[in-house]
Every structure is written in C-alpha cells, then in structure tokens.
Amino acid sequence: MQKLKYPVDVVLDTDAYNEIDDQFAIAYLLKNPDKLAVKGLYAAPFLNQRSSNPKDGMEKSFNEIKNILNLMGETCQVFRGSEHFLVDENTPCISAATTDLSQRAMSYTAENPLYVVAIGAITNIASAILLNPAIKEKIVVVWLGGHSFEWHDNTEFNMSQDVAAARIILGCGVSLVLLPCMGVVSAFNTTAPELKYWLTGKNKLCDYLLNHTITQANEEHEYPTWARSIWDVTAVAWLLDSDFMLDRWEHSPIPTYENKWAVDKTRHLIKYVYHINREKLFYDLFQKLGQ
C-alpha cells in the first residue's frame, strides 16, 4: 500500500439514509477538496426499520446523497447501487455503481490507486471486483465494517447484512484498510450539548446535521445522557491525517456466517485501525462543517 500523495481520487459508497453519520461523512469528504478529489458517490443497499427492503434502502440513500449535495451547494456524480445483497460469493449485483467502479478503476495503477471509501454493506464494491477482478490491483478499499478482534461477536450492521460480500473483500487480496466499529470507532462519539455548541446556526448543512442527529439519538437511546457515535467520518479521516488514528498490519481475518471472526495467519496483510484520536478529529470535523 503506497503512501498517500495528495490530492487523491476518491469514491464513496454509502447507505446514506440509514444513519446520520453517513451525512457527516459525505460532508466531511467534500469539505477537503485540497486533499480529496471526489469522483463519485455510490448509494448502498440496507435493510432495517428505515427501509422496506434493500432496494428501498438504496433508493432512499440515493435521494439522501442528493439532499446533502443540495444543502452544501455541491455537484457530484451520484450512482444507484445494488438492489439486493449478494446471493453467494460468485454472483455480482449489477448496478450503475458497480459498473462505474469496475470501469473507472481501470485508469488507475497500484502506484496511483483510486481510493474507495465504504461505509455501508460492501455489496457494491464486492460486485465490482466480481465483475472485473483486475481492479483489485488498482484500488485501495477503506471500509468501516465488523467489530474489533477483541469484541465478543461480529454482529455489526455493515458486516452482517452481506457476509458474502465481506468475505470477498477480505479474501480477494485487494489493498484494504479496516476500521472496526465496537471497540475502536465506537470511541468517536459526541453529545447533544457538544453538537449544539459547534453546529448551531453555522449554515443549512450544520442545522440539518444537528437536528437529525439529536432526533435519531433521542429515538434510539434509552437515556437522555446519550453519546452518539459518528462512526462513518473515521473512514474518510483515514485519508486525511495520520495523526487522526493509529493502525497496524494484521493478517486479513475471515468473516463467518455465524457472525464471528476466524483467524488464518497464512492470509495476506491488511491495515487494521485500532485507535481514534477523538479530540483532534472532532475539532477538524466541526471546524470544516462550519465553514
């Protein structure tokens, strides 16, 4: 994996309607044009209480991406992603997003890769690799998925929705940065008073993020003393500043269909993030969102 040479070209794969942290991540990505050249935004499928099926989740995410772009006054290519999760580890889900990535990545090299930031189920990225395995040598995938190796299970939303896709990404040998949720990125959380202090009245985007974060957190948390993880921002942040987090080389783990990690020390190496510098990253995030 090459040292980043700015600016780098980036595409972002996001289930933007699922949780409010996706919107923070999209905005943060676009607020760093000196380092990150955004080439496309992909809508990822998801299924929970906010969608009736994976296709509905993807469509809602597609529309939410456009909503964030409108709030920011930004333009960018947006692509619809997969309408369902992988049926097995050999059959891709064909979509505008998977087709774009399978073709776009071919103009890059191992020395000058396309960075693929994924903050949802990794169906679109796995499908693009199944469509065109040659892109494995031309991209670096930065994925927020799974829990830390020390966590008692691996029942994490992005991972468990499409284990087949996760097994492809972690097994195919593509250059990969893995940001685990519980036990690592879960430390990147914030509270209502902090959000109000930093975001109130700064611009339309900040007001939208503030109101929706507090509304979602009040609905999801049992106690009003909640601290809400804004996990997805960390995947973008890995591209920006080595002081935002610490990572190390690990043998690529194997996601099992029983929502566990399996270990094989003969497998290839990936970058594994194990610590987030919460204060530094939140300060940079809030400063840029408020611009």
Side-chain angles (χ1 to χ4, degrees):
M1 194 178 299
Q2 299 290 319
K3 181 178 175 61
L4 277 73
K5 299 176 183 178
Y6 298 115
V8 296
D9 289 355
V10 184
V11 293
L12 175 70
D13 187 74
T14 168
D15 54 351
Y17 194 77
N18 172 35
E19 291 186 287
I20 192 64
D21 53 339
D22 290 83
Q23 290 91 323
F24 277 88
I26 295 167
Y28 192 44
L29 178 71
L30 293 166
K31 288 286 190 177
N32 283 279
D34 56 325
K35 289 187 174 182
L36 308 179
V38 184
K39 299 302 180 180
L41 301 172
Y42 302 149
F46 75 91
L47 175 60
N48 60 13
Q49 70 279 5
R50 295 176 63 81
S51 65
S52 57
N53 54 58
K55 178 182 178 181
D56 179 55
M58 183 277 294
E59 287 287 351
K60 286 177 175 175
S61 295
F62 178 83
N63 292 330
E64 182 65 5
I65 293 169
K66 293 208 163 188
N67 178 45
I68 295 300
L69 290 172
N70 182 59
L71 286 169
M72 297 181 69
E74 296 276 1
T75 58
C76 184
Q77 285 188 295
V78 185
F79 300 86
R80 286 181 168 86
S82 304
E83 296 184 355
H84 57 84
F85 303 124
L86 292 187
V87 296
D88 56 43
E89 296 179 31
N90 302 300
T91 310
C93 299
I94 308 300
S95 68
T98 58
T99 301
D100 179 77
L101 179 57
S102 67
Q103 297 173 352
R104 182 184 299 275
M106 292 304 294
S107 62
Y108 294 84
T109 65
E111 294 73 30
N112 181 34
L114 174 66
Y115 289 85
V116 181
V117 178
I119 52 178
I122 203 155
T123 312
N124 292 336
I125 316 308
S127 293
I129 289 174
L130 289 175
L131 277 173
N132 185 3
I135 69 172
K136 291 186 297 183
E137 310 301 324
K138 302 172 183 293
I139 64 175
V140 174
V141 178
V142 183
W143 184 36
L144 186 134
H147 292 322
S148 72
F149 293 168
E150 295 75 24
W151 204 249
H152 61 276
D153 65 26
N154 203 28
T155 312
E156 183 274 324
F157 187 72
N158 295 345
M159 177 77 70
S160 61
Q161 285 197 110
D162 197 340
V163 177
R167 287 169 64 89
I168 291 167
I169 293 298
L170 284 153
C172 71
V174 68
S175 294
L176 176 67
V177 180
L178 185 67
L179 293 101
C181 293
M182 295 306 297
V184 179
V185 177
S186 53
F188 191 67
N189 55 31
T190 187
T191 63
E194 187 175 40
L195 287 166
K196 290 176 181 177
Y197 178 84
W198 289 102
L199 300 183
T200 299
K202 295 296 177 65
N203 51 49
K204 290 181 180 179
L205 171 70
C206 285
D207 287 339
Y208 180 84
L209 295 173
L210 170 65
N211 293 333
H212 279 68
T213 304
I214 292 176
T215 298
Q216 284 189 19
N218 286 336
E219 291 173 351
E220 295 169 2
H221 291 267
E222 183 178 0
Y223 300 105
T225 50
W226 55 261
R228 179 69 162 78
S229 291
I230 312 294
W231 345 66
D232 290 344
V233 167
T234 61
V236 175
W238 187 88
L239 294 171
L240 293 173
D241 189 335
S242 59
D243 289 338
F244 283 152
M245 59 195 71
L246 298 173
D247 57 38
R248 63 178 184 253
W249 291 104
E250 290 278 358
H251 292 280
S252 185
I254 304 168
T256 73
Y257 287 99
E258 294 74 36
N259 293 316
K260 300 288 185 181
W261 284 124
V263 178
D264 180 350
K265 294 296 186 181
T266 68
R267 280 163 65 96
H268 61 284
L269 296 173
I270 65 168
K271 279 287 182 75
Y272 176 87
V273 174
Y274 64 92
H275 173 72
I276 305 295
N277 185 336
R278 180 203 177 277
E279 287 78 15
K280 181 172 184 178
L281 179 50
F282 261 122
Y283 183 73
D284 190 64
L285 173 67
F286 288 146
Q287 289 291 310
K288 287 174 178 171
L289 292 178
Q291 289 174 355

